[in-house]
């Protein structure tokens, strides 16, 4: 697991990247900047997917999960209850529980800088 920060310039979230193939590949590309929008359950930003192991795909997510796949980097802050209808999710990390409430401070349109924590 690797500690990262995700910031919009005003608010910083602390998160961890997991040891999946996709998580390790993503960590090697940091720092990076992605832009996207709030959908009401996640911040969805376009991003190259990179390497992944199909055996690590899952159905659904937990609130706070970070996914990367299908050309999208997403901070999944809500919708856990209905997430089981979403298959082939590549979860690469999780926002620290104590920072999950800070997501509400992000504006509707975001430019996020994702970096390894110092």
């Amino acid at each position: 697991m690797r500690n990262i920060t995700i910031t919009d310039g005003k608010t910083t979230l602390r998160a961890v990247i997991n040891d999946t193939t996709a998580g390790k590949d993503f960590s090697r590309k940091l720092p990076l900047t992605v832009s996207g929008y709030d959908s009401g359950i996640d911040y969805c930003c376009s991003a190259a997917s990179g390497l992944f192991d199909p055996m690590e795909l899952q159905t659904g997510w937990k609130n706070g999960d970070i996914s990367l796949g299908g050309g999208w980097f997403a901070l999944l802050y809500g919708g856990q209850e209905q997430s089981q209808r979403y298959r082939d999710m590549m979860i690469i990390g999780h926002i620290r529980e104590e920072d999950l409430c800070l997501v509400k401070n992000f504006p509707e349109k975001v430019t996020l800088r994702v970096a390894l924590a110092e």
Side-chain angles (χ1 to χ4, degrees), residues 7 9 34 38-39 46-47 60-62 65 72-74 90 104 109 111-112:
T7 182
V34 294
D38 184 3
S39 75
S46 19
W61 65 81
K62 293 185 173 98
D65 278 350
W72 300 103
F73 171 82
M90 179 49 62
K104 69 179 185 235
K109 181 180 178 187
T111 297
L112 301 173

Short mmCIF file of all heavy atoms in Angstrom, two decimals, residues 7 9 34 38-39 46-47 60-62 65 72-74 90 104 109 111-112:
data_model
loop_
_atom_site.label_atom_id
_atom_site.label_comp_id
_atom_site.label_asym_id
_atom_site.label_seq_id
_atom_site.Cartn_x
_atom_site.Cartn_y
_atom_site.Cartn_z
N THR A 7 -5.64 16.52 -4.23
CA THR A 7 -6.00 17.89 -3.87
C THR A 7 -6.58 18.64 -5.06
O THR A 7 -6.20 18.40 -6.21
CB THR A 7 -4.78 18.65 -3.30
OG1 THR A 7 -5.20 19.96 -2.93
CG2 THR A 7 -3.65 18.75 -4.31
N GLY A 9 -6.38 21.92 -4.80
CA GLY A 9 -5.72 23.19 -4.56
C GLY A 9 -6.15 23.83 -3.25
O GLY A 9 -5.43 24.61 -2.66
N VAL A 34 -5.67 15.24 -13.12
CA VAL A 34 -6.86 14.79 -13.86
C VAL A 34 -7.97 15.81 -13.65
O VAL A 34 -8.02 16.49 -12.62
CB VAL A 34 -7.32 13.39 -13.42
CG1 VAL A 34 -6.29 12.33 -13.78
CG2 VAL A 34 -7.60 13.34 -11.92
N ASP A 38 -18.44 16.16 -10.74
CA ASP A 38 -19.19 15.47 -9.71
C ASP A 38 -20.47 14.91 -10.33
O ASP A 38 -21.24 15.65 -10.94
CB ASP A 38 -19.54 16.46 -8.60
CG ASP A 38 -20.25 15.83 -7.42
OD1 ASP A 38 -20.45 14.61 -7.41
OD2 ASP A 38 -20.61 16.59 -6.50
N SER A 39 -20.68 13.61 -10.18
CA SER A 39 -21.89 12.98 -10.73
C SER A 39 -22.99 12.86 -9.68
O SER A 39 -24.09 12.43 -9.99
CB SER A 39 -21.56 11.58 -11.26
OG SER A 39 -21.39 10.69 -10.16
N SER A 46 -11.31 11.88 -16.61
CA SER A 46 -10.69 11.05 -17.65
C SER A 46 -9.24 10.78 -17.30
O SER A 46 -8.53 11.65 -16.83
CB SER A 46 -10.79 11.65 -19.04
OG SER A 46 -11.05 12.98 -19.05
N ALA A 47 -8.83 9.51 -17.52
CA ALA A 47 -7.46 9.08 -17.23
C ALA A 47 -7.20 7.76 -17.94
O ALA A 47 -8.10 6.91 -18.04
CB ALA A 47 -7.27 8.90 -15.72
N GLY A 60 -19.19 -3.75 -7.86
CA GLY A 60 -19.54 -2.75 -6.85
C GLY A 60 -18.34 -2.13 -6.18
O GLY A 60 -17.19 -2.37 -6.54
N TRP A 61 -18.65 -1.26 -5.19
CA TRP A 61 -17.61 -0.55 -4.45
C TRP A 61 -18.10 -0.21 -3.06
O TRP A 61 -19.28 -0.33 -2.75
CB TRP A 61 -17.18 0.72 -5.17
CG TRP A 61 -18.26 1.77 -5.28
CD1 TRP A 61 -18.64 2.67 -4.31
CD2 TRP A 61 -19.11 2.01 -6.41
NE1 TRP A 61 -19.67 3.46 -4.79
CE2 TRP A 61 -19.97 3.08 -6.06
CE3 TRP A 61 -19.21 1.46 -7.67
CZ2 TRP A 61 -20.92 3.58 -6.95
CZ3 TRP A 61 -20.15 1.95 -8.53
CH2 TRP A 61 -21.00 3.00 -8.17
N LYS A 62 -17.18 0.24 -2.24
CA LYS A 62 -17.50 0.79 -0.92
C LYS A 62 -17.30 2.30 -1.02
O LYS A 62 -16.39 2.77 -1.72
CB LYS A 62 -16.57 0.22 0.15
CG LYS A 62 -16.79 -1.26 0.39
CD LYS A 62 -15.92 -1.74 1.54
CE LYS A 62 -16.28 -3.16 1.89
NZ LYS A 62 -15.42 -4.15 1.33
N ASP A 65 -13.95 4.33 -2.07
CA ASP A 65 -13.06 3.63 -3.00
C ASP A 65 -12.61 4.55 -4.13
O ASP A 65 -13.31 5.51 -4.50
CB ASP A 65 -13.74 2.40 -3.61
CG ASP A 65 -13.70 1.18 -2.70
OD1 ASP A 65 -12.99 1.22 -1.66
OD2 ASP A 65 -14.37 0.19 -3.02
N TRP A 72 -11.38 6.09 -17.01
CA TRP A 72 -11.83 6.97 -15.94
C TRP A 72 -11.11 6.70 -14.64
O TRP A 72 -10.90 5.56 -14.24
CB TRP A 72 -13.34 6.78 -15.70
CG TRP A 72 -14.15 7.09 -16.89
CD1 TRP A 72 -14.73 6.19 -17.75
CD2 TRP A 72 -14.48 8.39 -17.40
NE1 TRP A 72 -15.39 6.86 -18.75
CE2 TRP A 72 -15.24 8.21 -18.57
CE3 TRP A 72 -14.18 9.67 -16.97
CZ2 TRP A 72 -15.73 9.28 -19.31
CZ3 TRP A 72 -14.66 10.74 -17.72
CH2 TRP A 72 -15.43 10.52 -18.87
N PHE A 73 -10.78 7.79 -13.94
CA PHE A 73 -10.29 7.78 -12.56
C PHE A 73 -11.45 8.32 -11.75
O PHE A 73 -11.95 9.41 -12.05
CB PHE A 73 -9.06 8.70 -12.44
CG PHE A 73 -8.60 8.92 -11.03
CD1 PHE A 73 -7.80 7.99 -10.39
CD2 PHE A 73 -8.96 10.08 -10.34
CE1 PHE A 73 -7.35 8.21 -9.09
CE2 PHE A 73 -8.52 10.31 -9.03
CZ PHE A 73 -7.71 9.36 -8.41
N ALA A 74 -11.91 7.58 -10.76
CA ALA A 74 -13.10 8.02 -10.02
C ALA A 74 -12.91 7.92 -8.51
O ALA A 74 -12.38 6.92 -8.01
CB ALA A 74 -14.31 7.18 -10.42
N MET A 90 -12.36 -1.74 -11.27
CA MET A 90 -10.97 -1.90 -10.84
C MET A 90 -10.74 -0.91 -9.71
O MET A 90 -10.56 0.29 -9.94
CB MET A 90 -10.00 -1.65 -12.00
CG MET A 90 -8.54 -1.77 -11.60
SD MET A 90 -8.09 -3.26 -10.68
CE MET A 90 -8.46 -4.55 -11.83
N LYS A 104 -17.01 16.68 0.05
CA LYS A 104 -18.10 17.66 -0.16
C LYS A 104 -17.57 19.07 -0.35
O LYS A 104 -18.29 19.95 -0.82
CB LYS A 104 -19.11 17.60 0.98
CG LYS A 104 -18.56 18.10 2.29
CD LYS A 104 -19.60 18.05 3.38
CE LYS A 104 -19.02 18.67 4.62
NZ LYS A 104 -19.02 17.91 5.79
N LYS A 109 -16.94 21.04 -10.71
CA LYS A 109 -15.90 20.72 -11.70
C LYS A 109 -14.56 20.79 -10.99
O LYS A 109 -14.29 21.77 -10.29
CB LYS A 109 -15.94 21.72 -12.86
CG LYS A 109 -14.90 21.42 -13.91
CD LYS A 109 -14.94 22.42 -15.04
CE LYS A 109 -13.83 22.06 -16.03
NZ LYS A 109 -13.69 23.07 -17.06
N THR A 111 -10.15 19.94 -10.92
CA THR A 111 -8.86 19.55 -11.45
C THR A 111 -8.09 19.05 -10.24
O THR A 111 -7.84 19.82 -9.30
CB THR A 111 -8.13 20.72 -12.13
OG1 THR A 111 -8.92 21.14 -13.25
CG2 THR A 111 -6.75 20.30 -12.63
N LEU A 112 -7.81 17.76 -10.22
CA LEU A 112 -7.21 17.13 -9.06
C LEU A 112 -5.75 16.78 -9.32
O LEU A 112 -5.43 16.24 -10.39
CB LEU A 112 -7.96 15.85 -8.70
CG LEU A 112 -9.45 16.00 -8.39
CD1 LEU A 112 -10.08 14.63 -8.22
CD2 LEU A 112 -9.66 16.85 -7.16
#
